[in-house]
Amino acid sequence: MAVVLCNTAGHLLGIIISLLLTVLSKCSAYDCRAHPWIDETVKHWFRASYATARNSDKTIEESLEAIADIKWGKYNTGKSMGILTYDDSVGAYRVTFKELHRHNEPHKPAGMQRVIERAVMQHNADLVRSLGKKELKFIFGTEDFPIVDTWLNLRLPSFQMCHSPETADVPVPDFTWELYNQAQYSNNSWWEVRRLLLLKSTMLPWKLRERDLFMRGDAGVGYRKVLMPFMHEAQVNRSDIALFGVKVNFRSTGFYVSEMRHFSWLDNWCQHRYLVHTSGLTYSASLKYKLACGAVIINFRGGFQEFYYPALKPGVHVLSFPEADREALVTKVAPELKSRLAELESLHQDTPPPMAMAAREFAVTQLTDASLSCYWYKTLLAYAGLYFAATPADIPAEVRLN
């Protein structure tokens, strides 16, 4: 009897899913014009891969095999293949995933796949119209570093968690949007943490926020190896007020938050007026949380960038500074930062400055489930321009999103 009930339930679930896909295939998708930065950002990220593809002597399958075989020394980088297949029985696309090489943590591909699956469901009708029911394969990875160097001249990019200037990888939403264990919350998806941060940011009056430069993170990676010891020294010897006009509050939480004594819950970051951001080992996933806090973000520009970074405008959403060495931090960065903070403190004692409100508004309206789905949809369109080109000579000079 139990087996019969199980089979019946499974059959009903299959019918429901098929009906849902059928409806989605016939309905118009969400209007991506609510996120005007996406088109130009996708074009920006694909320029390198379009340029290398036009010089490639490899086929599509050879390029996919080359990406799958990329190693660091003897180590195969963690990556999976996504396969978009049109299902005639329901008149819609399905996406399936095949692990190519083991990911270093299982929650990473799982988190990225959830975002992809929702994007395909939400934009199924548009994908059917745009791709003409043809099958499409792509590879995504979960390494901190991008993996496809431009000199490889492949016909296709891989989708990675960040981009760097010397690579042709296209950055896509990483696993932290769905599963971010380091945040320590029992429900650690961006959607739930964002709700908490947005609430906290409105509950805490600007006039009562801490007037300090605040940062938590691993001091042993990337540019943090320069910045964090410098800031901590200023904090300890009390030269911070002279250097910046406000106190410094920097602590290293160690590798994978191994120094729990210095750990601070993400919503407690919203107690501070000035949040400092730098890259980690490569990029740092923490920027979106700082945006949601509605603070003034001091961003030290790094070479590794997440997919939405080009949408953030210096002077509008963030204060932007170069990754300077110790001498330049003292002679150039500190005086300029001190001047900017003094101006903000003078004009905005009781209410948040426009930059802080713009940062929060970006998190409210542009870092949404709908925007991530739009980004993936437009990314697949740009990728299709490479995937379905008969020869390298057929690849257009400009990235097309149709």
Side-chain angles (χ1 to χ4, degrees):
M1 183 65 177
V3 173
V4 173
L5 288 173
C6 250
N7 288 338
T8 302
H11 180 65
L12 288 173
L13 181 60
I15 292 173
I16 291 169
I17 292 173
S18 295
L19 288 172
L20 178 60
L21 287 172
T22 301
V23 170
L24 286 169
S25 71
K26 300 182 187 306
C27 294
S28 296
Y30 173 84
D31 188 352
C32 291
R33 287 177 295 180
H35 313 288
W37 58 274
I38 290 178
D39 278 16
E40 286 307 310
T41 299
V42 169
K43 290 178 181 179
H44 169 76
W45 293 131
F46 269 92
R47 284 188 185 115
S49 57
Y50 267 59
T52 58
R54 286 194 296 273
N55 296 317
S56 180
D57 60 358
K58 292 181 170 58
T59 66
I60 295 300
E61 287 301 324
E62 286 172 342
S63 295
L64 287 170
E65 289 174 8
I67 295 171
D69 289 340
I70 287 175
K71 297 181 177 66
W72 290 340
K74 295 182 179 180
Y75 169 69
N76 279 300
T77 62
K79 53 183 91 74
S80 291
M81 177 176 285
I83 305 169
L84 269 179
T85 307
Y86 184 76
D87 187 339
D88 280 306
S89 66
V90 295
Y93 270 109
R94 296 183 186 273
V95 60
T96 56
F97 301 101
K98 174 185 176 183
E99 185 177 282
L100 301 175
H101 293 289
R102 188 174 64 85
H103 301 267
N104 58 14
E105 293 185 87
H107 70 276
K108 291 183 177 181
M112 294 179 75
Q113 286 169 199
R114 288 184 192 178
V115 179
I116 298 169
E117 287 167 339
R118 283 204 304 275
V120 170
M121 287 189 68
Q122 291 172 15
H123 291 276
N124 217 299
D126 287 336
L127 286 169
V128 171
R129 285 191 290 267
S130 299
L131 304 185
K133 305 180 182 179
K134 292 178 286 189
E135 183 181 86
L136 182 145
K137 299 177 183 178
F138 58 89
I139 292 175
F140 70 90
T142 56
E143 303 295 345
D144 289 333
F145 291 89
I147 63 172
V148 178
D149 294 313
T150 52
W151 58 263
L152 291 171
N153 283 337
L154 300 182
R155 284 281 298 277
L156 299 170
S158 73
F159 298 133
Q160 298 292 325
M161 301 194 297
C162 69
H163 173 89
S164 65
E166 67 279 2
T167 60
D169 304 89
V170 172
V172 294
D174 69 9
F175 62 94
T176 64
W177 299 87
E178 290 292 325
L179 300 165
Y180 190 34
N181 298 341
Q182 285 175 259
Q184 306 291 331
Y185 295 101
S186 56
N187 187 333
N188 51 48
S189 74
W190 159 249
W191 319 112
E192 286 302 311
V193 176
R194 185 183 78 141
R195 181 186 59 79
L196 176 61
L197 298 179
L198 293 176
L199 176 63
K200 192 80 171 277
S201 68
T202 57
M203 290 179 66
L204 289 170
W206 186 259
K207 64 182 178 181
L208 298 181
R209 289 197 183 197
E210 297 289 338
R211 296 174 58 253
D212 57 12
L213 292 169
F214 179 88
M215 184 176 174
R216 293 293 183 270
D218 181 4
V221 294
Y223 180 61
R224 294 178 188 177
K225 290 190 284 188
V226 175
L227 183 66
M228 293 192 75
F230 171 77
M231 288 294 203
H232 185 63
E233 181 182 316
Q235 179 179 339
V236 171
N237 65 24
R238 299 184 181 180
S239 61
D240 47 0
I241 300 293
L243 281 170
F244 304 108
V246 298
K247 292 182 179 180
V248 167
N249 186 346
F250 270 50
R251 293 285 186 178
S252 176
T253 53
F255 182 68
Y256 263 63
V257 199
S258 55
E259 293 286 340
M260 282 299 294
R261 61 194 173 123
H262 295 148
F263 173 78
S264 175
W265 293 99
L266 292 174
D267 58 296
N268 288 339
W269 294 7
C270 299
Q271 297 173 193
H272 304 271
R273 290 188 178 187
Y274 308 109
L275 300 178
V276 178
H277 183 76
T278 72
S279 293
L281 178 62
T282 55
Y283 76 104
S284 169
S286 65
L287 181 56
K288 57 182 175 287
Y289 306 104
K290 295 167 186 174
L291 292 167
C293 272
V296 173
I297 298 167
I298 294 90
N299 179 45
F300 286 86
R301 300 185 299 272
F304 298 99
Q305 296 199 333
E306 283 190 88
F307 72 98
Y308 66 90
Y309 281 17
L312 298 173
K313 298 177 181 178
V316 176
H317 301 100
V318 299
L319 286 177
S320 184
F321 293 91
E323 290 184 340
D325 60 24
R326 184 183 178 89
E327 180 180 352
L329 282 171
V330 175
T331 60
K332 295 180 180 180
V333 173
E336 183 181 349
L337 180 53
K338 183 178 182 179
S339 175
R340 298 296 299 271
L341 294 181
E343 181 181 5
L344 290 170
E345 286 292 300
S346 173
L347 297 175
H348 304 283
Q349 277 294 321
D350 297 329
T351 56
M355 190 179 302
M357 292 188 290
R360 185 181 185 278
E361 181 67 10
F362 188 85
V364 170
T365 63
Q366 303 304 314
L367 297 182
T368 63
D369 176 61
S371 70
L372 264 62
S373 289
C374 281
Y375 181 86
W376 256 113
Y377 165 58
K378 294 301 180 79
T379 294
L380 290 172
L381 292 190
Y383 182 84
L386 298 172
Y387 192 88
F388 295 122
T391 69
D394 296 310
I395 296 169
E398 294 294 324
V399 180
R400 296 176 182 172
L401 297 179
N402 53 54

